[in-house]
Amino acid sequence: MSESEYPMLAVEQALGIVLEQASPLPPITVALKQASGLILAEAAVAREAMPPFAASIKDGYAVVAGDGPGDYPLVGTVTAGRIADFAVQPGTVAYITTGAPLPSGADAVVMVEETERLGSANGQMHVRVRQGVKAGADVRPVGSDIEPGQQVLAAGMRLGAAEIGLLATVGIAQVRVHPRPRVAVLSTGDELVEPDATPGPGQIRDSNRAMLVAAIAAAGGEPLDLGIAGDSVDSISAGIERGLHEADLLLSSGGVSMGDLDLIKPLLEEAGTVHFGRLRMKPGKPCTFATADIDGQRRLLFGLPGNPVSSLVTYYLLVIPAIRKLAGWREPRLTRIQAHLDQALPLDAYRPEYHRATATWDPGLNDGQGGYRAISTGIQASSRLLSMRTANVLLELPQGEGTLTAGSVVAALVIGDL
Ligand code: AMP
Ligand code: MG
């Protein structure tokens, strides 16, 4: 099929197809240290109470609350990690540090700021308690943070710092997670040379591969660099073949438009099933998506356009959600915000456009309630990678006539830190 024979799909429809074809990779067990950023495949349940003992919240004195303010003999010291080998009888106090187990007999802690050391009389140190406290004051009861049997994390949660901390606290050092998807990247084009080479006549450096490898790592994927394939069936087929066997997802760039040497579409048709070959969007119209089953495993293949901006925009719109779905994300789509245009922007009469912009929080917008202000990155040519520099949103400009005025509010997909 030539490119023009593929129906032109709306991006939302194409994304629906991609997400339908992508399923979470089968869970594996990894060490907690390796789990950061991954999606939990099974619920995490605490076996023990946290804290496992009644613990002091403050540095101060363990007391019997009923004693009230007064001067009391100091009968001992208990610090975190130790157990008192004495009891606190009524009319006595013990020095205690934060996190230490409350000695038997004591039922509250008076913080050190409310006390005074009086010095020793007859070899016995005395402490003045200035402030009375209620039973239980400044003590964390057993299980007050986490109860035994409590589910601390649900399957499908993403393991950030807090979640890793929770797993550590409940003693789950080996954790069931979905693995990082392996994503292979193949550049195509006779004109391409490596970034460290000096291009000869007619040649340019391959920007897409380094860029996509970085983007894959940033998205939590495991990049696999397949190098550059020349514009020949053999060269590209070899790359596709390797990607199909060694990765869950394969990205090629270039060779998907209408030229004589645009070989990707027919080769993807040969390798598997092509689901779409044309999108109603700017930039990135020729973006192509196929699936193939290798040894019972579903592989996803994207033929991304060659122009660097088209390549990266289609990567964000379609490949990131695919990587996330494979990685087990329950909500794999990009986040949307509303952004106020800082300047008037022209509309494309034929296709919705993903205009690259830098959004920052402006507290003065929306009558002082605040909002995101989007500043265009400038000329939006699909070859001009400078239009992606510092971009953290893709403004979803509708297809239409004329321009959107400055101050207009448009939806924007988040592709970087806001
Ligand atoms: P193609 O889709 O192969 O016709 O490529 C479209 C445009 O993108 C051409 O100007 C190519 O030279 C350029 N291009 C293709 N692949 C890359 C790449 N990996 N890095 C930089 N530019 C590329
Ligand atoms: Mg090419």
Side-chain angles (χ1 to χ4, degrees):
M1 228 188 320
S2 74
E3 187 203 317
S4 56
E5 290 172 46
Y6 283 99
M8 191 134 84
L9 256 57
V11 171
E12 200 47 46
Q13 195 185 349
L15 180 56
I17 293 171
V18 169
L19 292 178
E20 204 178 281
Q21 293 297 323
S23 316
L25 297 172
I28 55 168
T29 301
V30 301
L32 197 49
K33 275 192 253 193
Q34 260 85 56
S36 181
L38 300 180
I39 305 292
L40 196 61
E42 62 187 24
V45 176
R47 285 169 301 221
E48 302 125 358
M50 180 67 196
F53 47 83
S56 178
I57 295 176
K58 298 270 169 65
D59 295 320
Y61 291 90
V63 301
V64 177
D67 287 346
D71 297 348
Y72 298 103
L74 179 67
V75 294
T77 286
V78 55
T79 54
R82 305 249 144 58
I83 297 288
D85 58 0
F86 56 85
V88 174
Q89 310 290 349
T92 69
V93 301
Y95 179 69
I96 191 165
T97 64
T98 307
L102 201 65
S104 67
D107 61 2
V109 170
V110 179
M111 63 178 170
V112 76
E113 292 87 337
E114 297 296 346
T115 67
E116 195 181 322
R117 287 237 176 176
L118 298 173
S120 74
N122 307 328
Q124 175 68 62
M125 179 72 78
H126 279 71
V127 175
R128 175 160 299 162
V129 174
R130 285 196 294 261
Q131 186 67 47
V133 290
K134 292 200 180 102
D138 280 332
V139 176
R140 279 188 302 146
V142 173
S144 56
D145 291 339
I146 299 170
E147 287 173 14
Q150 185 178 345
Q151 177 177 299
V152 293
L153 297 174
M157 285 184 172
R158 184 151 184 259
L159 301 177
E163 292 75 18
I164 297 277
L166 276 166
L167 291 171
T169 209
V170 302
I172 299 179
Q174 299 285 321
V175 57
R176 289 292 278 174
V177 290
H178 296 282
R180 291 179 193 286
R182 300 163 302 164
V183 186
V185 186
L186 178 71
S187 287
T188 71
D190 286 336
E191 75 278 30
L192 302 176
V193 297
E194 293 289 342
D196 60 359
T198 304
Q203 295 183 323
I204 57 167
R205 296 192 184 92
D206 174 4
S207 56
N208 293 354
R209 199 158 39 97
M211 173 174 83
L212 291 170
V213 163
I216 290 159
E222 193 88 53
L224 170 66
D225 185 346
L226 296 182
I228 300 169
D231 288 314
S232 75
V233 167
D234 285 353
S235 180
I236 297 174
S237 295
I240 292 178
E241 192 63 15
R242 193 175 154 211
L244 281 176
H245 283 94
E246 296 181 28
D248 305 298
L249 201 161
L250 168 68
L251 308 179
S252 65
S253 73
V256 279
S257 27
M258 296 285 281
D260 286 349
L261 289 178
D262 288 332
L263 301 167
I264 292 290
K265 282 185 167 83
L267 288 177
L268 291 183
E269 283 168 14
E270 224 168 84
T273 308
V274 173
H275 297 273
F276 56 80
R278 218 156 50 120
L279 297 178
R280 187 177 301 286
M281 67 177 290
K282 183 184 174 185
K285 187 171 73 165
C287 180
T288 300
F289 173 64
T291 53
D293 291 329
I294 302 288
D295 306 330
Q297 301 291 316
R298 171 69 39 101
R299 307 298 200 208
L300 311 182
L301 303 97
F302 287 89
L304 303 181
N307 268 312
V309 176
S310 311
S311 214
L312 194 53
V313 167
T314 50
Y315 169 84
Y316 281 124
L317 293 177
L318 298 164
V319 182
I320 290 240
I323 293 176
R324 289 178 173 176
K325 183 88 187 278
L326 294 177
W329 288 45
R330 304 291 165 102
E331 294 290 342
R333 290 161 193 263
L334 298 180
T335 302
R336 260 196 188 86
I337 59 166
Q338 287 201 315
H340 296 239
L341 300 186
D342 194 58
Q343 63 279 291
L345 293 179
L347 297 177
D348 186 277
Y350 304 103
R351 287 176 284 163
E353 182 171 3
Y354 293 87
H355 190 109
R356 284 77 75 192
T358 309
T360 50
W361 182 256
D362 180 343
L365 288 175
N366 291 324
D367 298 325
Q369 291 187 65
Y372 284 102
R373 177 187 297 283
I375 300 174
S376 169
T377 52
I379 299 166
Q380 298 285 297
S382 64
S383 55
R384 186 175 174 268
L385 205 42
L386 284 170
S387 75
M388 287 299 294
R389 186 182 57 179
T390 76
N392 58 0
V393 291
L394 297 173
L395 301 174
E396 297 183 291
L397 302 186
Q399 164 188 0
E401 304 290 336
T403 58
L404 280 180
T405 53
S408 301
V409 176
V410 299
L413 292 164
V414 176
I415 58 168
D417 286 344
L418 287 169

